[in-house]
């Protein structure tokens, strides 16, 4: 029999116990692994009535079937939880080297529940589980925390995931960070980890992954890498320039959020924030996660000025937009400083930049006054204020305490006039991917299980960038309009395709570029687990997980009535690019998308027929 | 959402703890309930390396989707365990009224593990779980035990399942008995329960079953009852005469085991053991399990002679054959006395009668001598010796101590010459259904998951009795030979059909008579659980469970190499009926059956393709 699936490590921080649990094999068959498996386990463990930061809330690290293997970019791990920011499903994903270590230690899945009385580090290796008192590390940034943890444990080869002060202080968009700058981002996994007094997790594993066909997997992985680099975008942009190379194109296509989404392009910033400037201004070297032949990560160091010497991972495209264009800041050094600071303090850079941009609009409109802002001169274009705001938010100092709640909750406290500047869906701040200039992004942001989400499925690949993939039923000559509402059936297979890497433990970038095909992944997965699987079955599993997530969110009170977008996109026409003069007609897009998904038009939930087709009908029985 | 599935009560007798556990919904979808669900849970809980009577061995009571509903004959419960007699999967099933009470108390499934330090009764009702010290009840028969338990608990409406002295003393074919004579039989569930010092389980439940469509279910149940009584055999034989009515026909068809299977018919016994004699000799009244419109059970009282006044459930056909024809005993009062005694002492009447018949042959051949037999005059035809042997076995007195190990283990102790008289498959004694005169029975006995088994699928219905069922692909005009080896593909759908009631919690008799169709059951199940299911899906689930059981047995070390029959059937030609002059050519039958099942010809286990088709491929991953 063999195979390496099935063992979850269940850690209770209250009791300081750890036990192994075998997960049902049917879950691996149906949900594959990674986020899918994690969500299924969440449904099992979560009490929908419990407080969002209750000690009983589970924090689930879940690796995929290909995590840690020869498959390209297979260093990924999902973190699944209920988001304290949004109340929806929380599903974060990071690369780095943490997940392969966990798997080699013998665990697919790590579940942390409970709350330690004092700050603690959880230590996991082949030999077992240990707890290290960590009061000394409390307050440290993630870089210093990684160093401190490595001083406490014996030997080398430890991989660490930790929180910074933001997580400790319950900033609702705090991240868990590994490798100093690879973040389990979006939705506040760091706040949940902080509420458990869990400062860090150290993992070391030396076991062999008992793959079904390791040689066959290596061969197939070689072919997959070739497939990856046959894609010009990966080869000629992602690899040499990383994600900052997107910036110029996003502006050109009118999908670059600018001045808190009042504009959709920012041409005047290209000379200082564009990707040529990026490589001239900063000292840049590439960074690769485990097993990644692209190495899209940038490690940068600020050369000059006030923040000279600061260094770290990024800024990525999203961060340049978050601290740059959204805030109308054109100083790349300030963007990089805010980025390095946010990463080290354990903040989600996307939410942080968006919260700051929203706060700038509030300041401009007089909704946020001097009484709340204190010395912080929050205004569009003020680079230094951005960097300072990052520090205040992470430490919950001054105005930072309000902003640490996220823009939606902050607006509730500021009054109804604050609502218009909140650029969030279900409480999660928008990333930097325009929806007026990509109506595919519009509908996918509206329905995403974790609030505003640019990655599920990064639809602008198809409508704004014009990519096609016959394996997804999107023919080479398919005419798909960037700015047309309705007719969003094509988002469905794209969404399934974008789910695949989250299940198998590989990087989303291989799929949202449409570089590696579903059939290729199905082949790799088959060689790992020792049973035949074709692309249709893998895509069906992805669709199953998407629907499972929809049902999990339904138990949390979210249905079609919460499939919304910020009013700005529905009422204020775009100013730039193909989306100029356009608002989003969400209703039309949702109708066509629901229909393609087999979701009821009224409630926006999977029909009984859809659940039955996907083998999810048991949810209707009332089973867990 | 709603629905009533998913809650298992997990009782640890060592710790005296009880907790509720929600079982994965996927298990209900894939394995439906009852035995299927129980087997899946067993795979999860059992350690194949553990001693067969180790405290950690789980004893799993599992109800079905229709248990306790308006569906006809829906009072059934499966008990799943690893058999201490055979080492294979143990799967027993009883009617009575126990299962509906368990379900109304809020539990689909009851799992008992551990070992109580002292004899104990487990008490379960709507309010919770209690333990009653039961040293006083130890040694009592099941009738006195039920009375005693009812004296200990408050109020009325208690249903009790208990063991007698046989279970207490570890007779390896001891039963668990409910309603005084409805037995969880075959394979020694009673011995396992006794090893846990668990004398009885008392259950009372008053909750409503939250059925999806109770009114629709009632309507459909009415139609199912009509279907049942449209079958002449059910209407004109089973209902008025019960199973003893089979006796004459079995003898006439040459499939009545006689003189330890040296003969296949016993015409000279018809005047005293036949069903006319049965109703003349004994005082008979019908007995019905929960919700059963047939009421095939007979309650009898001995009118005259040495055992006058003894009463109880049965003897059924199987018992008349076990203590009668197999032992060449023609005294129905003796048969009834042995039956009542065996039921009350908690013995499996089938194994007990077969063990005695085998021992009679050993005595005749001088393999069992006076040194071992003592005063017991064990010889074919000695009615009193049969009754006395029952008592000795249950109490493990004298020769009973050896016979209590089952005929296969006893033979091992007696030496190689004892083997020929052992009429058992994988250590489980044959019931009373001939295999020389029904080659369908031959192959199904050889492959049965729990050793010699007449109920999976009672193939003589089709080959010896000539029944047909188009829904199973057995056409009305299909010519199927009683005595032909090979061409046993038809056993596959019949086996799936016979598995259905074990999953949904109804009585096998409705299905081995081919009275109620799979489509009818699928409709009833759909109305209970609130999702559409057709006959093909239900039959597929049954096939899935059959293959799961095959794989579970593989983990216990059983594969095609243990698909055998007693040598007598392979070497000694039949003497009577259509099978006269015939031996069984098992190889040919197995080949054709394996092929139909999609099992590998060499190892006799499901191929990867078969496992994948049935969604059981996860077993190959090494998951639990």
């Amino acid at each position: 029999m063999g195979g390496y699936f099935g063992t979850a490590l269940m850690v209770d921080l209250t009791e300081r116990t750890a036990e192994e649990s075998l997960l049902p094999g049917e879950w691996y068959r149906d949900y594959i692994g990674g986020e899918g498996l994690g969500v299924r386990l969440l449904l099992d463990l979560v009490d929908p009535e419990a407080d969002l930061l209750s000690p009983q809330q589970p924090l689930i690290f879940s690796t995929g079937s290909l995590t840690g293997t020869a498959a390209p970019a297979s260093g990924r791990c999902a973190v699944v939880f209920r988001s304290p920011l949004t109340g929806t499903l929380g599903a974060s994903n990071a690369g780095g080297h943490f997940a392969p270590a966990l798997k080699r230690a013998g665990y697919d899945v790590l579940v942390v529940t409970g709350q330690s009385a004092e700050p603690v580090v959880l230590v996991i290796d082949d030999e077992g589980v240990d707890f290290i008192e960590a009061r000394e590390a409390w307050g440290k940034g993630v870089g210093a925390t990684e160093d401190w943890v490595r001083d406490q444990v014996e030997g080398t080869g430890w991989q660490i995931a930790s929180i910074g002060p933001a997580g400790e202080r319950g900033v609702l968009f705090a991240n868990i960070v590994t490798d100093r700058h690879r973040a389990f981002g979006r939705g506040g996994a760091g706040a949940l980890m902080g509420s458990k007094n869990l400062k860090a997790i150290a993992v070391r594993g030396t076991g062999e992954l008992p793959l079904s066909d390791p040689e066959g997997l290596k061969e197939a992985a070689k072919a997959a890498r070739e497939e990856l680099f046959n894609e010009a975008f990966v080869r000629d942009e992602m690899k040499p320039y990383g994600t900052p190379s997107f910036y110029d194109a996003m502006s050109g296509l009118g999908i670059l959020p600018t001045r808190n989404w009042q504009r959709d392009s920012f041409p005047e910033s290209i000379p200082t924030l564009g990707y040529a400037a990026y490589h001239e201004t900063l000292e840049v070297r590439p960074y690769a996660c485990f097993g990644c032949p692209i190495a899209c990560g940038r490690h940068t160091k600020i050369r000059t000025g006030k923040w000279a010497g600061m260094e770290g991972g990024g800024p990525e495209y999203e961060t340049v937009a978050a601290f740059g264009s959204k805030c109308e800041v054109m100083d790349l050094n300030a963007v990089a400083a805010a980025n390095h600071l946010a990463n080290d303090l354990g903040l989600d850079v996307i939410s942080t930049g968006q919260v700051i941009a929203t706060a700038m609009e509030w300041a401009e409109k007089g909704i946020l006054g001097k009484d709340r802002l204190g010395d912080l001169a929050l205004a569009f274009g003020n680079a230094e204020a951005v960097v300072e705001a990052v520090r205040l938010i992470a430490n919950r100092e001054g105005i930072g305490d309000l902003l640490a709640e996220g823009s939606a909750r902050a607006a509730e406290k500021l009054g109804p006039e604050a609502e218009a500047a909140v650029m969030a869906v279900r409480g999660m701040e928008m990333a930097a991917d325009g929806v007026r200039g990509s109506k595919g992004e519009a509908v996918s942001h509206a329905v995403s299980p974790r609030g505003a989400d640019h990655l599920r499925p990064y639809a602008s690949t198809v409508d704004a960038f014009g990519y096609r993939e016959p394996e997804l039923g999107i023919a080479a000559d398919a005419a798909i309009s960037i700015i047309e509402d309705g007719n969003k059936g094509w988002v469905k297979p794209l969404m399934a395709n974008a789910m695949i890497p989250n299940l198998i433990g590989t990087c989303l970038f291989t799929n949202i570029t449409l570089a590696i095909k579903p059939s290729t992944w199905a082949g790799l997965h088959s060689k790992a687990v020792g049973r035949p699987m074709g692309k249709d079955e893998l895509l069906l599993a992805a669709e199953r997980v998407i629907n499972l997530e929809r049902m999990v969110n339904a138990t949390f009170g979210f249905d079609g009535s919460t499939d919304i977008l910020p009013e700005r996109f529905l009422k204020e026409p775009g100013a730039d690019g193909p989306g100029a003069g356009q608002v989003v007609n969400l209703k039309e897009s949702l109708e066509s998308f629901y229909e393609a998904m087999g979701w009821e038009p009224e409630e926006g939930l999977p029909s009984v027929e859809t659940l039955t087709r996907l083998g999810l009908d048991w949810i209707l029985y009332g089973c867990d």
Side-chain angles (χ1 to χ4, degrees), chain A:
Chain A
M1 307 227 168
Y4 58 97
F5 296 99
T7 307
L9 180 67
M10 317 292 282
V11 175
D12 180 337
L13 291 175
T14 306
E15 304 292 333
R16 295 266 174 111
T17 55
E19 58 184 49
E20 295 185 2
S21 173
L22 288 174
L23 301 179
E26 292 88 346
W27 290 4
Y28 290 84
R29 180 196 65 200
D30 291 356
Y31 316 114
I32 308 292
E35 181 174 316
L37 187 65
V39 171
R40 180 61 186 86
L41 192 53
L42 183 75
L43 179 62
D44 218 47
L45 297 175
V46 79
D47 171 8
E49 306 300 318
D51 282 351
L52 295 178
L53 289 173
S54 151
Q56 73 183 81
Q57 291 287 357
L59 184 65
I60 303 169
F61 294 77
S62 184
T63 67
S65 53
L66 292 173
T67 296
T69 69
S74 62
R76 309 293 297 195
C77 187
V79 167
V80 178
F81 56 105
R82 187 173 181 190
S83 166
L85 177 68
T86 63
T88 65
L89 172 71
S92 300
N93 200 297
H97 300 77
F98 182 82
L102 182 63
K103 204 149 179 182
R104 285 180 165 250
Y107 305 109
D108 285 337
V109 172
L110 166 65
V111 179
V112 182
T113 55
Q115 184 181 49
S116 175
E118 295 287 333
V120 73
V121 174
L122 171 62
V123 181
I124 300 164
D125 72 358
D126 308 329
E127 304 298 312
V129 173
D130 200 7
F131 299 91
I132 296 177
E133 301 308 324
R135 207 181 307 186
E136 217 180 303
W138 207 248
K140 288 188 197 295
V142 299
T145 301
E146 292 201 11
D147 293 341
W148 183 87
V149 173
R150 284 200 174 84
D151 281 347
Q152 311 302 309
V153 289
E154 281 182 24
T156 57
W158 292 95
Q159 300 299 331
I160 294 156
S162 69
I163 57 168
E168 297 172 10
R169 295 178 192 207
V171 177
L172 291 182
F173 43 90
N175 288 346
I176 301 168
V177 185
T178 184
D179 265 15
R180 294 172 181 258
H181 46 72
R182 308 323 293 176
F184 294 95
R186 318 273 30 222
L192 183 58
M193 185 156 151
S195 74
K196 297 184 177 308
N197 276 320
L198 180 59
K199 181 62 177 167
I201 303 168
V203 179
R204 181 170 65 170
T206 61
E208 278 288 301
L209 301 184
L211 300 163
S212 170
D213 177 8
E215 287 311 310
L217 181 57
K218 268 186 206 159
E219 280 305 303
K222 206 180 291 177
R225 276 194 298 276
E226 278 171 26
E227 207 171 305
L228 190 56
F229 287 109
N230 281 343
E231 173 50 57
F233 181 72
V234 172
R235 184 183 62 236
D236 302 333
E237 293 232 15
M238 291 282 280
K239 186 169 177 66
Y241 303 111
T243 64
S245 68
F246 304 173
Y247 190 86
D248 310 39
M250 297 296 279
S251 181
L253 286 163
I255 48 178
L256 176 73
T258 305
R259 201 183 158 82
N260 196 32
W261 301 86
Q262 293 170 29
R263 296 171 57 192
D264 293 318
S265 73
F266 198 20
E268 57 271 43
S269 71
I270 302 296
T272 55
L273 299 183
Y275 79 89
Y278 186 99
H279 286 80
E280 285 157 17
T281 310
L282 301 168
E283 190 182 311
V284 184
R285 58 183 162 86
Y287 162 90
C289 298
F290 174 93
C292 183
I294 312 176
C296 79
R298 304 292 101 171
H299 186 279
T300 69
K301 190 170 180 179
I302 302 174
R303 295 182 212 258
T304 56
K306 181 170 178 182
W307 300 290
M310 277 183 81
E311 61 181 316
E316 304 286 340
Y317 158 72
E318 284 291 339
T319 327
V320 180
F323 295 130
S325 61
K326 281 184 182 176
C327 297
E328 245 179 3
V329 162
M330 291 195 278
D331 178 347
L332 187 63
N333 285 333
V335 168
N339 170 75
H340 295 334
L341 195 57
N343 273 339
D344 196 55
L345 295 172
L347 284 172
D348 184 84
V349 289
I350 296 175
S351 276
T352 304
Q354 180 55 58
V355 165
I356 293 170
T358 293
M360 284 174 167
E361 188 171 329
W362 286 336
E364 192 172 70
K365 290 180 175 162
I367 296 167
L368 264 188
K370 180 94 183 136
D371 56 325
R372 291 186 182 265
L373 288 170
D375 291 337
L376 187 71
L378 215 51
F380 286 114
N382 186 340
E384 297 212 6
V386 169
V387 182
E388 177 62 3
V390 168
R391 197 185 63 76
L392 294 174
I393 291 169
N395 293 323
R396 281 189 175 265
E397 269 179 57
I399 185 64
D401 194 38
L402 179 69
L403 301 183
E405 297 290 303
S407 46
R409 287 173 205 230
E412 279 174 29
K413 292 187 184 158
L414 292 172
E417 71 278 22
E419 180 60 32
V422 174
M423 305 308 288
V425 176
R426 286 180 291 288
M428 165 89 97
E429 286 76 17
M430 297 279 295
D433 306 272
V435 301
R436 282 180 289 221
S438 164
K439 296 293 166 52
E441 292 286 0
V443 69
S444 58
H445 275 69
V447 300
S448 159
R450 56 179 196 174
D453 198 324
H454 63 303
L455 297 175
R456 293 158 188 253
Y458 209 85
S460 49
T461 304
V462 165
D463 60 6
F465 288 88
Y467 282 62
R468 297 292 180 266
E469 178 46 65
E471 277 199 6
L472 300 176
I474 303 171
D477 59 353
I480 292 171
S481 164
I482 306 175
I483 57 166
E484 189 197 338
D485 286 296
N487 300 319
K488 290 294 167 287
W490 60 271
V491 175
K492 177 188 164 179
L494 207 66
M495 208 174 253
N497 186 53
M499 181 57 83
I500 289 173
N502 295 343
L503 309 182
I504 59 179
T506 56
C507 182
L508 188 67
F509 277 150
T510 63
N511 274 39
I512 62 172
T513 57
L514 301 181
I516 298 186
K517 294 187 195 340
S519 57
T520 305
W521 285 130
L524 282 157
H525 173 79
S526 298
K527 288 184 169 50
V529 305
R531 64 88 108 188
M533 180 182 277
K535 77 171 172 64
D536 293 339
E537 198 183 341
L538 184 56
L539 285 164
L540 187 73
E543 185 188 353
R544 183 179 298 122
V545 172
I546 290 164
N547 280 271
L548 177 66
E549 293 187 345
R550 191 80 177 168
M551 293 303 287
V552 169
N553 267 336
T555 72
F556 297 152
F558 297 91
D559 61 13
S561 67
T562 59
D563 287 345
I564 47 148
L565 283 177
E567 288 245 312
R568 177 154 292 168
F569 301 128
L570 310 179
K571 294 191 171 162
E572 298 175 20
D576 320 88
Q582 284 270 325
V583 293
V584 177
N585 180 348
L586 190 57
K587 191 165 177 293
E588 213 177 314
S589 290
L590 283 178
E591 276 170 7
S592 60
F593 176 76
Y594 285 179
E595 194 185 336
M597 294 298 286
W599 292 357
E600 298 286 359
E602 285 304 311
E603 59 181 359
L605 294 178
S607 66
V608 174
E609 290 68 30
T610 299
L611 292 174
T612 302
R613 177 175 63 78
L614 296 170
L616 292 172
D617 52 278
W618 54 266
I619 291 180
L620 303 175
Y621 301 177
C623 293
D624 200 40

